[in-house]
Amino acid sequence: MKYESVRGMRDILPGEIGYWKQVEEKVRGVATCFCYREIRLPLMEHTELFSRGIGEETDVVNKEMYTFLDKKNRSLTLRPEATASVARAYLEHGLHVREPFQKLFYIGPMFRYEKPQKGRSRQFHQYGVEAIGSLDPALDADVISFAWTLMDMLGLSGLSLRLNSIGCAEDRQRYRKALAGYFAAHIDEMCTDCRRRYDSNPLRILDCKESHCQLYIQQAPASIDYLCADCDRHFVEVRGYLDKLGLNYGIDARLIRGLDYYTRTVFELISKDLGAQDALLGGGRYDGLVQLLGGPATPAVGFAGGMERLILVLQKKNRSFGREERLDLFLAALGEEGRLLAVTLAQSLRSQGISVDLDYRGRSLRKQLGYADQIEARYLIVLGEDELGSKQGRIKNMDKREEYEISLTADAIAHIVHGSKHGD
Ligand code: AMP
């Protein structure tokens, strides 16, 4: 029997981990600078949280959730996104009672039953930020600035930000009516999904990716033409901040995002290098979600980005990224006694924070030296009979191809390896 991973869920092998670690590190670094604190959430929630929070008629809830009954017949769902969980945690732990304004971030796996293709999988990873408890347009700009700062730190350029406003709940009612009126004349020529959406929520027609439906969608009314005075002012101010900060954006009148909780500002950051699945990250305001989940009226704004897509772009654009960390020292051993010395030295050096490896396969000295070269160890020491007797040996700097006489104690070795590490 041959075992394979579940379709759309892949292993991240050691060769790629350098990218993952560096991206995670950068996200955490930018989060610290922007004062976001990390939150870690369960991978599963009660299904109701998502069906209510994200919206029954969205593709995510309607088609893409991994939902099952547990042993007590409770309906659980593997999280397809984390914003609803963050809002749940915010209320469940009374974070809003102690300090209603919270800036939180997360990194972790999400699950959606989608058709796997480049940049789209069934288990994928998101990093995301949520700023809860303020309607200040400067906060929308802060969240967008976080996204741009992260891209800068990763050395990525040539990206574009699509921006739109879909207004408050009342604006959306009016916009929905306008869309229903517009699509009435075309809906018979559109796909079955769109026809269903026309009856349940015409806004969701704008999510359709069918090229035939897109012809009609491109001509549909724009949401910014249906904003009330407050939402209009908010959008003007958000753009004002973005202009002041010199952050690029373009208005995309048809951008509404695929989840029902969004209000007012919505945005996506796009990369040309991604092909059809071109969104690196997406987000916006969700001023009604906390209240919808039973809390007080609490405005909020955030975004989520896909780690896999970000890494795809980095692999193309920034080749210096993602290098694995090099081994500090390889101990090549000859004979039983040399090996014993290698084992004990390795033990004390590792406890001083130095990465050390040695041969565990009984290989010849020539093979051990070849291996140290192949893995690009920074230093090499050969431990044979002579070295054992004299307790003196030679340490080779593999980059400079230079050797130095050294006494074979962990402290003396550590001094050289650490010294050169900090001097790099
Ligand atoms: P969303 O939660 O749908 O707004 O998605 C936010 C970001 O997550 C997108 O811009 C993508 O970068 C990423 N993403 C969403 N769905 C997938 C998926 N199925 N596979 C890989 N990345 C995804």
Side-chain angles (χ1 to χ4, degrees):
M1 160 135 192
K2 198 167 121 212
Y3 289 104
E4 286 178 356
S5 68
V6 174
R7 184 165 143 78
M9 304 195 181
R10 67 178 200 94
D11 304 304
I12 301 164
L13 297 174
E16 291 168 84
I17 289 294
Y19 282 98
W20 286 80
K21 275 171 60 179
Q22 287 186 51
V23 170
E24 285 167 9
E25 224 170 77
K26 289 279 191 272
V27 170
R28 287 176 207 286
V30 177
T32 305
C33 295
F34 279 75
C35 292
Y36 285 79
R37 294 189 301 155
E38 184 167 358
I39 182 165
R40 298 191 186 189
L41 304 150
L43 298 192
M44 257 183 242
E45 298 276 2
H46 295 289
T47 304
E48 172 90 2
L49 175 72
F50 302 120
S51 45
R52 264 191 81 67
I54 300 174
E56 295 278 7
E57 260 313 307
T58 57
D59 279 356
V60 168
V61 170
N62 206 357
K63 302 187 196 161
E64 297 168 4
M65 293 209 301
Y66 280 91
T67 297
F68 58 93
L69 295 178
D70 75 359
K71 290 188 195 298
K72 291 228 166 114
N73 274 334
R74 284 169 296 223
S75 180
L76 300 181
T77 293
L78 284 176
R79 62 181 189 188
E81 58 105 54
T83 303
S85 304
V86 171
R88 184 216 21 88
Y90 174 82
L91 289 173
E92 183 172 343
H93 303 288
L95 299 186
H96 63 303
V97 179
R98 266 173 280 147
E99 172 50 71
F101 184 65
Q102 297 276 340
K103 287 168 104 181
L104 304 166
F105 82 96
Y106 57 83
I107 304 176
M110 309 292 158
F111 304 85
R112 294 184 195 175
Y113 196 84
E114 292 192 90
K115 199 163 172 224
Q117 53 180 269
K118 185 184 164 206
R120 187 196 270 169
S121 47
R122 291 183 173 170
Q123 177 176 330
F124 59 99
H125 297 73
Q126 283 186 338
Y127 57 94
V129 307
E130 316 287 0
I132 308 177
S134 164
L135 197 52
D136 188 345
L139 193 60
D140 306 42
D142 190 81
V143 162
I144 292 173
S145 168
F146 185 118
W148 275 123
T149 306
L150 178 66
M151 297 305 145
D152 265 0
M153 296 260 190
L154 292 167
L156 291 181
S157 53
L159 307 175
S160 52
L161 187 97
R162 288 187 193 146
L163 182 72
N164 194 18
S165 173
I166 56 172
C168 55
E170 292 76 41
D171 298 349
R172 268 221 308 291
Q173 262 330 94
R174 283 201 303 278
Y175 183 45
R176 224 170 119 148
K177 272 208 187 116
L179 287 176
Y182 165 80
F183 282 117
H186 309 292
I187 199 67
D188 290 343
E189 278 113 84
M190 299 178 79
C191 71
T192 44
D193 269 353
C194 282
R195 271 179 260 154
R196 198 197 64 236
R197 290 157 166 161
Y198 181 78
D199 293 326
S200 55
N201 182 357
L203 260 165
R204 296 268 70 95
I205 294 179
L206 304 185
D207 295 338
C208 185
K209 301 278 185 294
E210 296 279 331
S211 52
H212 179 69
C213 299
Q214 274 294 326
L215 292 177
Y216 300 110
I217 291 171
Q218 289 309 319
Q219 305 300 319
S223 58
I224 35 176
D225 293 333
Y226 295 84
L227 300 182
C228 63
D230 277 353
C231 289
D232 190 46
R233 191 175 330 110
H234 184 93
F235 196 42
V236 169
E237 288 180 33
V238 172
R239 278 157 27 215
Y241 280 113
L242 295 178
D243 292 338
K244 274 229 163 60
L245 295 173
L247 299 175
N248 265 327
Y249 63 89
I251 304 290
D252 178 346
R254 246 64 58 180
L255 178 69
I256 51 152
R257 313 273 305 123
L259 315 173
D260 271 356
Y261 52 61
Y262 284 112
T263 50
R264 295 195 173 186
T265 316
V266 287
F267 59 91
E268 276 182 1
L269 193 68
I270 305 297
S271 163
K272 292 187 295 297
D273 292 302
L274 279 170
Q277 305 303 318
D278 59 358
L280 267 180
L281 59 85
R285 279 209 158 266
Y286 49 96
D287 296 334
L289 180 62
V290 173
Q291 194 170 27
L292 184 75
L293 299 180
T298 311
V301 55
F303 76 77
M307 296 281 286
E308 283 82 356
R309 290 191 196 173
L310 191 51
I311 289 170
L312 270 175
V313 178
L314 279 168
Q315 281 168 338
K316 256 193 172 170
K317 290 248 179 176
N318 187 343
R319 300 226 152 253
S320 64
F321 229 81
R323 280 186 66 114
E324 270 183 83
E325 272 177 49
R326 291 171 64 188
L327 182 76
D328 289 327
L329 173 66
F330 190 84
L331 295 173
L334 263 177
E336 256 322 291
E337 307 237 307
R339 193 179 146 77
L340 198 59
L341 181 58
V343 169
T344 48
L345 273 177
Q347 160 82 1
S348 10
L349 286 165
R350 285 167 177 165
S351 67
Q352 297 192 38
I354 290 173
S355 61
V356 184
D357 205 2
L358 52 134
D359 175 63
Y360 296 100
R361 290 175 285 177
R363 295 199 292 180
S364 68
L365 182 62
R366 195 174 56 80
K367 286 230 165 103
Q368 292 184 46
L369 299 183
Y371 180 71
D373 252 339
Q374 180 199 325
I375 62 168
E376 296 181 12
R378 296 172 56 234
Y379 284 93
L380 171 75
I381 300 179
V382 177
L383 301 170
E385 253 174 54
D386 291 352
E387 286 78 11
L388 269 180
S390 63
K391 296 276 182 274
Q392 282 290 113
R394 299 177 76 76
I395 185 164
K396 180 169 177 183
N397 181 323
M398 301 287 273
D399 294 330
K400 297 188 181 151
R401 299 271 144 193
E402 282 169 4
E403 287 192 357
Y404 321 96
E405 194 70 38
I406 187 175
S407 85
L408 290 175
T409 63
D411 285 346
I413 298 170
H415 186 71
I416 292 200
V417 175
H418 270 317
S420 77
K421 229 179 176 176
H422 300 311
D424 274 350

